[in-house]
Amino acid sequence: MRRYVLFLPLVIFLGIGFFLWRGLSIDPTELPSARLNQPFPAFEKASLTNPEQTLTPDDLKGQVALVNIWATWCPTCKEEHAFLNQLAQQGVTIYGINYKDEPVKAREWLKRYLDPYDKVVLDVDGKLGLDLGVYGAPETYVIDADGVIRYRHVGAVDARVWKDLKAVMEQVSSGEGA
């Protein structure tokens, strides 16, 4: 019995070493999405730009599009905003979800920095974000014409990320899925 006790520190060390090695091999930017290949979650929320209008998932259907989660309190959202405006000018359909934000500030933001979004869903309480599994802003999803989530990107959209998003959008448009 004493012999086995001598090997206990070695076994513990090897166990800890294995978990550390495993943790280092995981890509922290690759976050799984429980909603991948599922319809956009149900919601009825006000439009940021037209508060009298209620938006639902049906308003996001009809074409392959990006859905961008953003907020005025998010510095990374500001970094990506100019690039989203470029994409919108190129004809890319982008829907916005204004996440846990103040509507007045969000409207001012879109006036100041321009509005790349076809429609903006107001998610003041963050419930839609929670239903999507949002970790934080910004996050961007690719949805197909039926409103099914095909891809998720966590972080800012820039030229490098756009190459991946564009490839997914083209694949989804051609009917191959993601």
Side-chain angles (χ1 to χ4, degrees), residues 136-155:
E139 289 189 18
T140 304
Y141 296 83
V142 173
I143 59 171
D144 67 17
D146 296 321
V148 175
I149 297 170
R150 297 299 181 183
Y151 186 81
R152 173 187 187 195
H153 171 75
V154 177

Side-chain angles (χ1 to χ4, degrees), residues 64 150 164-178:
V64 176
R150 297 299 181 183
D164 294 337
L165 293 173
K166 184 178 181 182
V168 171
M169 291 178 80
E170 288 171 351
Q171 188 178 26
V172 168
S173 291
S174 71
E176 295 175 30

Side-chain angles (χ1 to χ4, degrees), residues 28-162:
T29 61
E30 211 173 277
L31 298 171
S33 177
R35 299 222 63 50
L36 203 58
N37 297 317
Q38 293 185 17
F40 211 82
F43 68 90
E44 286 187 19
K45 298 273 188 179
S47 164
L48 174 68
T49 53
N50 183 6
E52 297 81 34
Q53 180 185 16
T54 299
L55 299 173
T56 69
D58 288 339
D59 293 299
L60 309 182
K61 293 179 181 178
Q63 57 193 328
V64 176
L66 297 178
V67 177
N68 179 252
I69 314 298
W70 66 281
T72 60
W73 48 260
C74 163
T76 310
C77 297
K78 186 174 181 185
E79 287 176 26
E80 78 172 355
H81 198 79
F83 192 78
L84 294 177
N85 278 314
Q86 290 176 18
L87 293 179
Q89 289 172 354
Q90 295 170 21
V92 177
T93 301
I94 308 172
Y95 300 114
I97 297 179
N98 183 241
Y99 180 65
K100 292 187 175 181
D101 208 350
E102 297 176 34
V104 172
K105 286 184 179 180
R107 285 185 202 98
E108 289 172 4
W109 163 289
L110 293 179
K111 283 181 188 171
R112 179 181 298 148
Y113 301 113
L114 303 179
D115 184 353
Y117 306 111
D118 286 40
K119 294 179 175 118
V120 182
V121 177
L122 189 54
D123 188 25
V124 175
D125 62 3
K127 181 167 178 354
L128 177 55
L130 183 67
D131 291 345
L132 277 167
V134 169
Y135 285 84
E139 289 189 18
T140 304
Y141 296 83
V142 173
I143 59 171
D144 67 17
D146 296 321
V148 175
I149 297 170
R150 297 299 181 183
Y151 186 81
R152 173 187 187 195
H153 171 75
V154 177
V157 174
D158 57 19
R160 181 186 58 77
V161 171
W162 170 237

